[in-house]
Amino acid sequence: LTGVFVAGGLARLPTLTDLSVAHNRLTSLGPDLPAAMEKLNFAHNAVAELPPLAHCKRLRELLGEHNQLGALPLPLPASLAVLQLSRNKLGSGGGKSSLIDLSACSQLERVELADNALVLCPLLPADAPKLTRIVLSANRIRHIDGTDGGGKIALSFTPNLSELFLDHNAISELSEALLLPLTSLTSLDASFNVLADVPHVLGYMKSLRRLVLEGNPIRCVNIYKNVRPR
């Protein structure tokens, strides 16, 4: 398939729940998609803009790696569980308009947004008990605590988060407030950032099995300094 994929006819198919048009040369998915859609896979195309998705109230998987997306059609369905949009151009527009608002997606399980142009962290829901994996590698993120007007990527409302990838950004600090609530975290990759110190709170993260901090200007390792166990 090449060019514009006209989905208008498909929108009239009430039983279509799974659509895969990956590995083509599409630049658009058309003006509308079936309301019953549960899985949409358009990875490895040249899609620059998505049609509205709010009416797809059963959509669980949105898979669009390797495209040209600069933004997402908000709001996204609350049913969304898997968001895989690595290797796009998300955030390239700059400013707060580039903030990816996932606050309504309380069913999220995996968020993968690596290799985009994000400066602001995505805004996560206030309650995301199913979220286990966040990948924000290779963006332009400097803060992950919301101080830049972006979102807080992980707090006590992500109690089951087990994998967090922050490598190849411009992050200077991993705070106690961010890390201590992550009691289920097993893998943390913060390599190739601008961290000057190893976060001392890591000494109290008993579930942590994999820690990658290479490529930072770290001069001191003291993971038990001045922290109160909880």
Side-chain angles (χ1 to χ4, degrees), residues 110-218:
R110 301 196 306 274
V111 175
E112 301 188 9
L113 300 172
D115 203 359
N116 278 283
L118 296 176
V119 175
L120 303 176
C121 283
L123 184 61
L124 294 182
D127 184 20
K130 299 179 180 180
L131 186 58
T132 61
R133 179 179 171 89
I134 297 176
V135 182
L136 296 175
S137 309
N139 279 286
R140 303 172 186 174
I141 297 169
R142 293 181 296 173
H143 303 284
I144 56 176
D145 59 0
T147 58
D148 55 358
K152 296 183 178 182
I153 64 166
L155 287 174
S156 57
F157 46 72
T158 57
N160 295 311
L161 189 68
S162 60
E163 296 178 287
L164 179 55
F165 294 86
L166 302 172
D167 54 288
H168 293 87
N169 279 286
I171 298 167
S172 60
E173 181 184 9
L174 299 176
S175 68
E176 176 180 345
L178 174 81
L179 293 176
L180 274 183
L182 304 183
T183 56
S184 299
L185 196 68
T186 61
S187 180
L188 173 61
D189 189 340
S191 58
F192 296 96
N193 279 280
V194 289
L195 297 172
D197 299 297
V198 176
H200 53 264
V201 297
L202 294 174
Y204 294 93
M205 301 183 71
K206 302 304 182 182
S207 298
L208 196 63
R209 295 198 297 265
R210 178 178 180 270
L211 176 62
V212 186
L213 295 173
E214 62 187 56
N216 282 281
I218 294 172

Side-chain angles (χ1 to χ4, degrees), residues 36-58:
M37 188 78 64
E38 296 178 8
K39 180 178 180 179
L40 174 59
N41 184 355
F42 61 100
H44 295 270
N45 279 283
V47 176
E49 184 178 2
L50 288 175
L53 296 172
H55 68 290
C56 300
K57 299 186 181 302
R58 299 179 182 177

